[in-house]
Amino acid sequence: MSGSLDYDVAVIGAGPGGCIAAALLNNAGLDVGIFERAQFPRFVIGESLLPRCNHLLDEAGLLGRVEEQAYRVKRGALFIVGKERRAIHFEDQFTKGWSYTWQMPRADFDNTLAQGVQAAGVSIHFEHTVTAVEVGACPRLTVAGPDRECRDIRTRFIVDASGYGRVLPGLLDLDEPSGMPFRHALFAHVRGDRRPEEASDGRTWVSVHPEGAWIWSIPFSNGKTSVGIVAEPDMLARFPVDPEARMRAIIAADPVAAEFLSDLEFVMDPGEIRGYATSVKRLWGEGFCLVGNATEFLDPIFSSGVTLAMESGSRAARLILRELAGEPVNWNVDYSEYLMRGVNTFRTFVEAWYDGSFHTVLMAPKPKESITRMITSVLAGYVWDLDNPFVREHKRKLPQLARLLKRMEP
Ligand code: FAD
């Protein structure tokens, strides 16, 4: 790579958000360069997809490559709250969409996407860290390569898909405190887990811990399982400091988790993310936009992160194509407002998970089939389907349903 090399669009980060945007722009004939700090494959958390992702992968020409990997198929999820269990099935949906998706180690998945976009013609510069930017009419990036030499890259548009690197939020002072409470996540890959009967097909299951945390279990097709714990810092502090000992002790203190996760062999040192929720002041500006976790990240409970990263990558690519073709683009309406409709639908569901009202909805003794289908579509990532009342009026509908069901409890 030489300092004079220009790209129509420069993408920061080769995660799912960056790869989807790059693939669509490249397929439309633009010259796209991705600058990626890491060498792939690299570990990242976020291993359980939602069916909406399949549509976005297909659109970007990447679905076939993912299918070839034979990852574990995910047909739904199981939620366990004390003695109550409820499985959701993606085949029973309100929105016409995919009835399955996958769960897999992200190192492998992200590498598969990166190889797919490279094969289609995108240049990916691994081990190239973006250290400075200029935005506006003539955007530029400063990129430090493995030799630590800095080079200037000229481009027509910058897509920041840097995830937790949060490159543009940091450099352009766009970071904003998240309105979500401060929670930590502790996670590892393990062997030796067992599965509840309702998750015997290997689907993701989550269980609410009696002390307020929740635990996830995401089995892969390679014999390993991702196990993670999400909790507020005070709760975690009541358990041993050593991360593996802490995970084992938290699992042992939950009868459900202990039944299925007591004899684990850890095949990686546990990772930890403190205060994972993030937000930004705005999602775009002249010559740039943010996608994926570089924007807002709410919470892992409904596995929505990769879906939102891909959706924003796809949406951004479509608008960039119009802008670079000289057409007027209303980024506020067509990007920020569009994306926030989906994010805010998930926000309502996440808040209802933590205040317990979603547990009432999930565990309703005689759930109405039509309502279950609408809720399943939200949990499948179809959070832009305005025909679904639990999308269109999520703020009113979900609490209303929870209140009604609460009143009907014996
Ligand atoms: P990433 O996948 O993070 O990719 C960003 C890339 O940018 C990285 O490869 C990084 O190396 C690169 N980069 C960073 N800084 C620079 C720089 N300066 N220069 C160049 N490159 C740079 N989501 C789900 O869908 N399902 C789940 O089950 C799930 N579980 C989660 C559990 C936890 C505990 C947490 C915290 C999150 C979870 N998520 C989950 C969310 C998921 O991790 C993210 O939403 C997703 O990875 C975002 O993808 P992305 O493309 O925006 O960024």
Side-chain angles (χ1 to χ4, degrees), residues 215-248:
I215 297 178
W216 81 68
S217 170
I218 305 173
F220 303 142
S221 58
N222 65 6
K224 299 177 191 170
T225 294
S226 167
V227 171
I229 295 165
V230 174
E232 293 192 7
D234 288 355
M235 186 270 187
L236 289 176
R238 296 199 288 276
F239 291 86
V241 174
D242 172 73
E244 186 178 321
R246 179 170 274 185
M247 286 188 73
R248 289 189 189 279

PDB file of all heavy atoms in Angstrom, residues 215-248:
ATOM      1  N   ILE A 215     -27.340 -15.735  32.867  1.00  0.00           N
ATOM      2  CA  ILE A 215     -26.246 -16.550  32.328  1.00  0.00           C
ATOM      3  C   ILE A 215     -26.638 -17.018  30.930  1.00  0.00           C
ATOM      4  O   ILE A 215     -27.787 -17.394  30.707  1.00  0.00           O
ATOM      5  CB  ILE A 215     -26.015 -17.771  33.249  1.00  0.00           C
ATOM      6  CG1 ILE A 215     -25.578 -17.272  34.634  1.00  0.00           C
ATOM      7  CG2 ILE A 215     -24.992 -18.738  32.649  1.00  0.00           C
ATOM      8  CD1 ILE A 215     -25.358 -18.367  35.660  1.00  0.00           C
ATOM      9  N   TRP A 216     -25.687 -16.944  29.979  1.00  0.00           N
ATOM     10  CA  TRP A 216     -26.004 -17.487  28.649  1.00  0.00           C
ATOM     11  C   TRP A 216     -25.190 -18.750  28.373  1.00  0.00           C
ATOM     12  O   TRP A 216     -24.094 -18.920  28.908  1.00  0.00           O
ATOM     13  CB  TRP A 216     -25.766 -16.444  27.552  1.00  0.00           C
ATOM     14  CG  TRP A 216     -24.354 -16.255  27.070  1.00  0.00           C
ATOM     15  CD1 TRP A 216     -23.591 -17.141  26.352  1.00  0.00           C
ATOM     16  CD2 TRP A 216     -23.534 -15.085  27.241  1.00  0.00           C
ATOM     17  NE1 TRP A 216     -22.357 -16.588  26.066  1.00  0.00           N
ATOM     18  CE2 TRP A 216     -22.290 -15.335  26.599  1.00  0.00           C
ATOM     19  CE3 TRP A 216     -23.733 -13.843  27.858  1.00  0.00           C
ATOM     20  CZ2 TRP A 216     -21.252 -14.404  26.566  1.00  0.00           C
ATOM     21  CZ3 TRP A 216     -22.704 -12.921  27.821  1.00  0.00           C
ATOM     22  CH2 TRP A 216     -21.484 -13.201  27.190  1.00  0.00           C
ATOM     23  N   SER A 217     -25.751 -19.596  27.505  1.00  0.00           N
ATOM     24  CA  SER A 217     -25.046 -20.775  27.025  1.00  0.00           C
ATOM     25  C   SER A 217     -25.308 -20.890  25.524  1.00  0.00           C
ATOM     26  O   SER A 217     -26.465 -20.973  25.095  1.00  0.00           O
ATOM     27  CB  SER A 217     -25.568 -22.018  27.758  1.00  0.00           C
ATOM     28  OG  SER A 217     -25.055 -23.169  27.131  1.00  0.00           O
ATOM     29  N   ILE A 218     -24.228 -20.842  24.740  1.00  0.00           N
ATOM     30  CA  ILE A 218     -24.347 -20.852  23.272  1.00  0.00           C
ATOM     31  C   ILE A 218     -23.448 -21.972  22.725  1.00  0.00           C
ATOM     32  O   ILE A 218     -22.241 -21.787  22.556  1.00  0.00           O
ATOM     33  CB  ILE A 218     -23.917 -19.485  22.673  1.00  0.00           C
ATOM     34  CG1 ILE A 218     -24.714 -18.331  23.294  1.00  0.00           C
ATOM     35  CG2 ILE A 218     -24.056 -19.499  21.157  1.00  0.00           C
ATOM     36  CD1 ILE A 218     -24.234 -16.937  22.871  1.00  0.00           C
ATOM     37  N   PRO A 219     -24.023 -23.152  22.473  1.00  0.00           N
ATOM     38  CA  PRO A 219     -23.193 -24.248  21.953  1.00  0.00           C
ATOM     39  C   PRO A 219     -22.820 -24.028  20.483  1.00  0.00           C
ATOM     40  O   PRO A 219     -23.621 -23.523  19.701  1.00  0.00           O
ATOM     41  CB  PRO A 219     -24.098 -25.483  22.090  1.00  0.00           C
ATOM     42  CG  PRO A 219     -25.243 -25.058  22.941  1.00  0.00           C
ATOM     43  CD  PRO A 219     -25.399 -23.587  22.743  1.00  0.00           C
ATOM     44  N   PHE A 220     -21.585 -24.402  20.130  1.00  0.00           N
ATOM     45  CA  PHE A 220     -21.106 -24.312  18.743  1.00  0.00           C
ATOM     46  C   PHE A 220     -21.079 -25.713  18.130  1.00  0.00           C
ATOM     47  O   PHE A 220     -21.152 -26.714  18.838  1.00  0.00           O
ATOM     48  CB  PHE A 220     -19.683 -23.747  18.697  1.00  0.00           C
ATOM     49  CG  PHE A 220     -19.519 -22.404  19.351  1.00  0.00           C
ATOM     50  CD1 PHE A 220     -18.374 -22.119  20.086  1.00  0.00           C
ATOM     51  CD2 PHE A 220     -20.483 -21.424  19.234  1.00  0.00           C
ATOM     52  CE1 PHE A 220     -18.198 -20.878  20.679  1.00  0.00           C
ATOM     53  CE2 PHE A 220     -20.326 -20.179  19.822  1.00  0.00           C
ATOM     54  CZ  PHE A 220     -19.172 -19.909  20.555  1.00  0.00           C
ATOM     55  N   SER A 221     -20.839 -25.750  16.825  1.00  0.00           N
ATOM     56  CA  SER A 221     -20.735 -27.066  16.162  1.00  0.00           C
ATOM     57  C   SER A 221     -19.350 -27.687  16.367  1.00  0.00           C
ATOM     58  O   SER A 221     -19.138 -28.832  16.000  1.00  0.00           O
ATOM     59  CB  SER A 221     -21.027 -26.915  14.665  1.00  0.00           C
ATOM     60  OG  SER A 221     -20.119 -25.999  14.100  1.00  0.00           O
ATOM     61  N   ASN A 222     -18.393 -26.949  16.952  1.00  0.00           N
ATOM     62  CA  ASN A 222     -17.038 -27.504  17.130  1.00  0.00           C
ATOM     63  C   ASN A 222     -16.848 -28.184  18.488  1.00  0.00           C
ATOM     64  O   ASN A 222     -15.718 -28.466  18.888  1.00  0.00           O
ATOM     65  CB  ASN A 222     -15.977 -26.405  16.930  1.00  0.00           C
ATOM     66  CG  ASN A 222     -16.076 -25.317  18.002  1.00  0.00           C
ATOM     67  OD1 ASN A 222     -16.857 -25.426  18.952  1.00  0.00           O
ATOM     68  ND2 ASN A 222     -15.287 -24.267  17.863  1.00  0.00           N
ATOM     69  N   GLY A 223     -17.960 -28.415  19.213  1.00  0.00           N
ATOM     70  CA  GLY A 223     -17.869 -29.112  20.502  1.00  0.00           C
ATOM     71  C   GLY A 223     -17.643 -28.174  21.677  1.00  0.00           C
ATOM     72  O   GLY A 223     -17.710 -28.590  22.834  1.00  0.00           O
ATOM     73  N   LYS A 224     -17.380 -26.905  21.398  1.00  0.00           N
ATOM     74  CA  LYS A 224     -17.208 -25.932  22.485  1.00  0.00           C
ATOM     75  C   LYS A 224     -18.513 -25.158  22.680  1.00  0.00           C
ATOM     76  O   LYS A 224     -19.362 -25.117  21.784  1.00  0.00           O
ATOM     77  CB  LYS A 224     -16.082 -24.958  22.166  1.00  0.00           C
ATOM     78  CG  LYS A 224     -14.738 -25.643  22.007  1.00  0.00           C
ATOM     79  CD  LYS A 224     -13.672 -24.642  21.622  1.00  0.00           C
ATOM     80  CE  LYS A 224     -12.397 -25.362  21.202  1.00  0.00           C
ATOM     81  NZ  LYS A 224     -11.419 -24.463  20.601  1.00  0.00           N
ATOM     82  N   THR A 225     -18.629 -24.527  23.836  1.00  0.00           N
ATOM     83  CA  THR A 225     -19.819 -23.734  24.147  1.00  0.00           C
ATOM     84  C   THR A 225     -19.359 -22.399  24.721  1.00  0.00           C
ATOM     85  O   THR A 225     -18.407 -22.355  25.499  1.00  0.00           O
ATOM     86  CB  THR A 225     -20.691 -24.481  25.178  1.00  0.00           C
ATOM     87  OG1 THR A 225     -21.197 -25.672  24.565  1.00  0.00           O
ATOM     88  CG2 THR A 225     -21.867 -23.644  25.655  1.00  0.00           C
ATOM     89  N   SER A 226     -20.033 -21.331  24.327  1.00  0.00           N
ATOM     90  CA  SER A 226     -19.770 -20.025  24.939  1.00  0.00           C
ATOM     91  C   SER A 226     -20.679 -19.886  26.153  1.00  0.00           C
ATOM     92  O   SER A 226     -21.893 -20.085  26.048  1.00  0.00           O
ATOM     93  CB  SER A 226     -20.082 -18.915  23.929  1.00  0.00           C
ATOM     94  OG  SER A 226     -20.124 -17.663  24.574  1.00  0.00           O
ATOM     95  N   VAL A 227     -20.078 -19.605  27.304  1.00  0.00           N
ATOM     96  CA  VAL A 227     -20.873 -19.371  28.512  1.00  0.00           C
ATOM     97  C   VAL A 227     -20.513 -17.982  29.017  1.00  0.00           C
ATOM     98  O   VAL A 227     -19.329 -17.602  29.036  1.00  0.00           O
ATOM     99  CB  VAL A 227     -20.564 -20.438  29.593  1.00  0.00           C
ATOM    100  CG1 VAL A 227     -21.221 -20.064  30.921  1.00  0.00           C
ATOM    101  CG2 VAL A 227     -21.066 -21.809  29.136  1.00  0.00           C
ATOM    102  N   GLY A 228     -21.524 -17.210  29.401  1.00  0.00           N
ATOM    103  CA  GLY A 228     -21.251 -15.859  29.884  1.00  0.00           C
ATOM    104  C   GLY A 228     -22.204 -15.470  30.993  1.00  0.00           C
ATOM    105  O   GLY A 228     -23.286 -16.050  31.139  1.00  0.00           O
ATOM    106  N   ILE A 229     -21.763 -14.507  31.781  1.00  0.00           N
ATOM    107  CA  ILE A 229     -22.553 -14.018  32.909  1.00  0.00           C
ATOM    108  C   ILE A 229     -22.646 -12.506  32.784  1.00  0.00           C
ATOM    109  O   ILE A 229     -21.637 -11.838  32.545  1.00  0.00           O
ATOM    110  CB  ILE A 229     -21.859 -14.388  34.236  1.00  0.00           C
ATOM    111  CG1 ILE A 229     -21.831 -15.921  34.385  1.00  0.00           C
ATOM    112  CG2 ILE A 229     -22.543 -13.716  35.431  1.00  0.00           C
ATOM    113  CD1 ILE A 229     -20.892 -16.419  35.448  1.00  0.00           C
ATOM    114  N   VAL A 230     -23.852 -11.971  32.907  1.00  0.00           N
ATOM    115  CA  VAL A 230     -24.053 -10.517  32.862  1.00  0.00           C
ATOM    116  C   VAL A 230     -24.622 -10.088  34.202  1.00  0.00           C
ATOM    117  O   VAL A 230     -25.608 -10.672  34.682  1.00  0.00           O
ATOM    118  CB  VAL A 230     -25.022 -10.134  31.719  1.00  0.00           C
ATOM    119  CG1 VAL A 230     -25.358  -8.646  31.770  1.00  0.00           C
ATOM    120  CG2 VAL A 230     -24.412 -10.497  30.370  1.00  0.00           C
ATOM    121  N   ALA A 231     -23.999  -9.098  34.823  1.00  0.00           N
ATOM    122  CA  ALA A 231     -24.434  -8.705  36.165  1.00  0.00           C
ATOM    123  C   ALA A 231     -24.010  -7.281  36.465  1.00  0.00           C
ATOM    124  O   ALA A 231     -23.114  -6.729  35.813  1.00  0.00           O
ATOM    125  CB  ALA A 231     -23.813  -9.634  37.199  1.00  0.00           C
ATOM    126  N   GLU A 232     -24.631  -6.712  37.495  1.00  0.00           N
ATOM    127  CA  GLU A 232     -24.187  -5.398  37.960  1.00  0.00           C
ATOM    128  C   GLU A 232     -22.930  -5.608  38.816  1.00  0.00           C
ATOM    129  O   GLU A 232     -22.752  -6.677  39.417  1.00  0.00           O
ATOM    130  CB  GLU A 232     -25.315  -4.721  38.726  1.00  0.00           C
ATOM    131  CG  GLU A 232     -26.456  -4.402  37.771  1.00  0.00           C
ATOM    132  CD  GLU A 232     -27.529  -3.483  38.339  1.00  0.00           C
ATOM    133  OE1 GLU A 232     -27.347  -2.951  39.456  1.00  0.00           O
ATOM    134  OE2 GLU A 232     -28.543  -3.327  37.641  1.00  0.00           O
ATOM    135  N   PRO A 233     -22.049  -4.614  38.869  1.00  0.00           N
ATOM    136  CA  PRO A 233     -20.760  -4.791  39.546  1.00  0.00           C
ATOM    137  C   PRO A 233     -20.895  -5.232  41.011  1.00  0.00           C
ATOM    138  O   PRO A 233     -20.105  -6.050  41.475  1.00  0.00           O
ATOM    139  CB  PRO A 233     -20.116  -3.403  39.461  1.00  0.00           C
ATOM    140  CG  PRO A 233     -20.863  -2.669  38.418  1.00  0.00           C
ATOM    141  CD  PRO A 233     -22.182  -3.305  38.214  1.00  0.00           C
ATOM    142  N   ASP A 234     -21.894  -4.737  41.740  1.00  0.00           N
ATOM    143  CA  ASP A 234     -22.066  -5.104  43.167  1.00  0.00           C
ATOM    144  C   ASP A 234     -22.278  -6.598  43.320  1.00  0.00           C
ATOM    145  O   ASP A 234     -21.786  -7.214  44.261  1.00  0.00           O
ATOM    146  CB  ASP A 234     -23.294  -4.408  43.769  1.00  0.00           C
ATOM    147  CG  ASP A 234     -23.039  -2.945  43.963  1.00  0.00           C
ATOM    148  OD1 ASP A 234     -21.893  -2.523  43.713  1.00  0.00           O
ATOM    149  OD2 ASP A 234     -23.985  -2.226  44.351  1.00  0.00           O
ATOM    150  N   MET A 235     -23.066  -7.174  42.416  1.00  0.00           N
ATOM    151  CA  MET A 235     -23.334  -8.606  42.499  1.00  0.00           C
ATOM    152  C   MET A 235     -22.035  -9.381  42.244  1.00  0.00           C
ATOM    153  O   MET A 235     -21.691 -10.305  42.983  1.00  0.00           O
ATOM    154  CB  MET A 235     -24.415  -8.970  41.476  1.00  0.00           C
ATOM    155  CG  MET A 235     -24.905 -10.408  41.546  1.00  0.00           C
ATOM    156  SD  MET A 235     -23.921 -11.474  40.493  1.00  0.00           S
ATOM    157  CE  MET A 235     -24.789 -13.006  40.588  1.00  0.00           C
ATOM    158  N   LEU A 236     -21.294  -8.991  41.199  1.00  0.00           N
ATOM    159  CA  LEU A 236     -20.052  -9.709  40.873  1.00  0.00           C
ATOM    160  C   LEU A 236     -19.062  -9.636  42.035  1.00  0.00           C
ATOM    161  O   LEU A 236     -18.347 -10.597  42.329  1.00  0.00           O
ATOM    162  CB  LEU A 236     -19.406  -9.106  39.620  1.00  0.00           C
ATOM    163  CG  LEU A 236     -20.126  -9.376  38.300  1.00  0.00           C
ATOM    164  CD1 LEU A 236     -19.432  -8.649  37.164  1.00  0.00           C
ATOM    165  CD2 LEU A 236     -20.177 -10.878  37.997  1.00  0.00           C
ATOM    166  N   ALA A 237     -19.036  -8.503  42.723  1.00  0.00           N
ATOM    167  CA  ALA A 237     -18.057  -8.290  43.804  1.00  0.00           C
ATOM    168  C   ALA A 237     -18.280  -9.241  44.983  1.00  0.00           C
ATOM    169  O   ALA A 237     -17.402  -9.399  45.820  1.00  0.00           O
ATOM    170  CB  ALA A 237     -18.110  -6.838  44.264  1.00  0.00           C
ATOM    171  N   ARG A 238     -19.450  -9.866  45.039  1.00  0.00           N
ATOM    172  CA  ARG A 238     -19.702 -10.815  46.145  1.00  0.00           C
ATOM    173  C   ARG A 238     -19.059 -12.181  45.870  1.00  0.00           C
ATOM    174  O   ARG A 238     -19.125 -13.070  46.695  1.00  0.00           O
ATOM    175  CB  ARG A 238     -21.214 -10.980  46.364  1.00  0.00           C
ATOM    176  CG  ARG A 238     -21.912  -9.700  46.824  1.00  0.00           C
ATOM    177  CD  ARG A 238     -23.253 -10.006  47.466  1.00  0.00           C
ATOM    178  NE  ARG A 238     -24.259 -10.429  46.511  1.00  0.00           N
ATOM    179  CZ  ARG A 238     -25.018  -9.594  45.790  1.00  0.00           C
ATOM    180  NH1 ARG A 238     -24.872  -8.289  45.919  1.00  0.00           N
ATOM    181  NH2 ARG A 238     -25.933 -10.057  44.953  1.00  0.00           N
ATOM    182  N   PHE A 239     -18.444 -12.334  44.702  1.00  0.00           N
ATOM    183  CA  PHE A 239     -17.867 -13.627  44.320  1.00  0.00           C
ATOM    184  C   PHE A 239     -16.342 -13.476  44.172  1.00  0.00           C
ATOM    185  O   PHE A 239     -15.843 -12.345  44.142  1.00  0.00           O
ATOM    186  CB  PHE A 239     -18.522 -14.096  43.018  1.00  0.00           C
ATOM    187  CG  PHE A 239     -19.969 -14.476  43.215  1.00  0.00           C
ATOM    188  CD1 PHE A 239     -20.978 -13.512  43.160  1.00  0.00           C
ATOM    189  CD2 PHE A 239     -20.322 -15.787  43.522  1.00  0.00           C
ATOM    190  CE1 PHE A 239     -22.307 -13.845  43.377  1.00  0.00           C
ATOM    191  CE2 PHE A 239     -21.657 -16.129  43.738  1.00  0.00           C
ATOM    192  CZ  PHE A 239     -22.648 -15.167  43.664  1.00  0.00           C
ATOM    193  N   PRO A 240     -15.608 -14.608  44.092  1.00  0.00           N
ATOM    194  CA  PRO A 240     -14.131 -14.518  44.044  1.00  0.00           C
ATOM    195  C   PRO A 240     -13.636 -13.576  42.948  1.00  0.00           C
ATOM    196  O   PRO A 240     -14.306 -13.386  41.929  1.00  0.00           O
ATOM    197  CB  PRO A 240     -13.707 -15.963  43.749  1.00  0.00           C
ATOM    198  CG  PRO A 240     -14.841 -16.814  44.200  1.00  0.00           C
ATOM    199  CD  PRO A 240     -16.081 -16.003  44.048  1.00  0.00           C
ATOM    200  N   VAL A 241     -12.451 -13.048  43.132  1.00  0.00           N
ATOM    201  CA  VAL A 241     -11.901 -12.071  42.180  1.00  0.00           C
ATOM    202  C   VAL A 241     -11.381 -12.767  40.917  1.00  0.00           C
ATOM    203  O   VAL A 241     -11.567 -12.268  39.803  1.00  0.00           O
ATOM    204  CB  VAL A 241     -10.753 -11.265  42.850  1.00  0.00           C
ATOM    205  CG1 VAL A 241     -10.071 -10.362  41.833  1.00  0.00           C
ATOM    206  CG2 VAL A 241     -11.311 -10.448  44.013  1.00  0.00           C
ATOM    207  N   ASP A 242     -10.731 -13.918  41.088  1.00  0.00           N
ATOM    208  CA  ASP A 242     -10.198 -14.637  39.928  1.00  0.00           C
ATOM    209  C   ASP A 242     -11.346 -14.951  38.952  1.00  0.00           C
ATOM    210  O   ASP A 242     -12.372 -15.525  39.352  1.00  0.00           O
ATOM    211  CB  ASP A 242      -9.548 -15.948  40.401  1.00  0.00           C
ATOM    212  CG  ASP A 242      -9.155 -16.801  39.222  1.00  0.00           C
ATOM    213  OD1 ASP A 242      -8.172 -16.441  38.553  1.00  0.00           O
ATOM    214  OD2 ASP A 242      -9.859 -17.808  38.939  1.00  0.00           O
ATOM    215  N   PRO A 243     -11.217 -14.565  37.663  1.00  0.00           N
ATOM    216  CA  PRO A 243     -12.356 -14.673  36.738  1.00  0.00           C
ATOM    217  C   PRO A 243     -12.937 -16.088  36.601  1.00  0.00           C
ATOM    218  O   PRO A 243     -14.159 -16.254  36.595  1.00  0.00           O
ATOM    219  CB  PRO A 243     -11.776 -14.184  35.410  1.00  0.00           C
ATOM    220  CG  PRO A 243     -10.607 -13.356  35.773  1.00  0.00           C
ATOM    221  CD  PRO A 243     -10.049 -13.915  37.048  1.00  0.00           C
ATOM    222  N   GLU A 244     -12.068 -17.107  36.498  1.00  0.00           N
ATOM    223  CA  GLU A 244     -12.618 -18.466  36.344  1.00  0.00           C
ATOM    224  C   GLU A 244     -13.303 -18.903  37.639  1.00  0.00           C
ATOM    225  O   GLU A 244     -14.423 -19.463  37.608  1.00  0.00           O
ATOM    226  CB  GLU A 244     -11.509 -19.460  35.949  1.00  0.00           C
ATOM    227  CG  GLU A 244     -12.075 -20.832  35.655  1.00  0.00           C
ATOM    228  CD  GLU A 244     -11.038 -21.851  35.206  1.00  0.00           C
ATOM    229  OE1 GLU A 244     -10.109 -21.495  34.444  1.00  0.00           O
ATOM    230  OE2 GLU A 244     -11.170 -23.027  35.631  1.00  0.00           O
ATOM    231  N   ALA A 245     -12.665 -18.626  38.772  1.00  0.00           N
ATOM    232  CA  ALA A 245     -13.270 -18.992  40.066  1.00  0.00           C
ATOM    233  C   ALA A 245     -14.584 -18.238  40.238  1.00  0.00           C
ATOM    234  O   ALA A 245     -15.583 -18.779  40.748  1.00  0.00           O
ATOM    235  CB  ALA A 245     -12.309 -18.653  41.199  1.00  0.00           C
ATOM    236  N   ARG A 246     -14.625 -17.008  39.779  1.00  0.00           N
ATOM    237  CA  ARG A 246     -15.850 -16.185  39.879  1.00  0.00           C
ATOM    238  C   ARG A 246     -16.966 -16.803  39.044  1.00  0.00           C
ATOM    239  O   ARG A 246     -18.091 -16.962  39.505  1.00  0.00           O
ATOM    240  CB  ARG A 246     -15.538 -14.765  39.414  1.00  0.00           C
ATOM    241  CG  ARG A 246     -16.721 -13.843  39.445  1.00  0.00           C
ATOM    242  CD  ARG A 246     -16.315 -12.396  39.204  1.00  0.00           C
ATOM    243  NE  ARG A 246     -15.915 -11.739  40.438  1.00  0.00           N
ATOM    244  CZ  ARG A 246     -15.610 -10.449  40.545  1.00  0.00           C
ATOM    245  NH1 ARG A 246     -15.626  -9.683  39.486  1.00  0.00           N
ATOM    246  NH2 ARG A 246     -15.281  -9.921  41.702  1.00  0.00           N
ATOM    247  N   MET A 247     -16.646 -17.199  37.810  1.00  0.00           N
ATOM    248  CA  MET A 247     -17.681 -17.808  36.955  1.00  0.00           C
ATOM    249  C   MET A 247     -18.188 -19.101  37.588  1.00  0.00           C
ATOM    250  O   MET A 247     -19.395 -19.342  37.653  1.00  0.00           O
ATOM    251  CB  MET A 247     -17.135 -18.086  35.544  1.00  0.00           C
ATOM    252  CG  MET A 247     -16.972 -16.819  34.712  1.00  0.00           C
ATOM    253  SD  MET A 247     -16.542 -17.141  32.972  1.00  0.00           S
ATOM    254  CE  MET A 247     -18.105 -17.752  32.316  1.00  0.00           C
ATOM    255  N   ARG A 248     -17.262 -19.930  38.076  1.00  0.00           N
ATOM    256  CA  ARG A 248     -17.685 -21.213  38.673  1.00  0.00           C
ATOM    257  C   ARG A 248     -18.557 -20.972  39.907  1.00  0.00           C
ATOM    258  O   ARG A 248     -19.564 -21.661  40.120  1.00  0.00           O
ATOM    259  CB  ARG A 248     -16.451 -22.049  39.062  1.00  0.00           C
ATOM    260  CG  ARG A 248     -15.697 -22.609  37.864  1.00  0.00           C
ATOM    261  CD  ARG A 248     -14.624 -23.595  38.330  1.00  0.00           C
ATOM    262  NE  ARG A 248     -13.740 -24.004  37.251  1.00  0.00           N
ATOM    263  CZ  ARG A 248     -14.026 -24.949  36.352  1.00  0.00           C
ATOM    264  NH1 ARG A 248     -15.179 -25.579  36.400  1.00  0.00           N
ATOM    265  NH2 ARG A 248     -13.162 -25.263  35.403  1.00  0.00           N
TER     266      ARG A 248
END
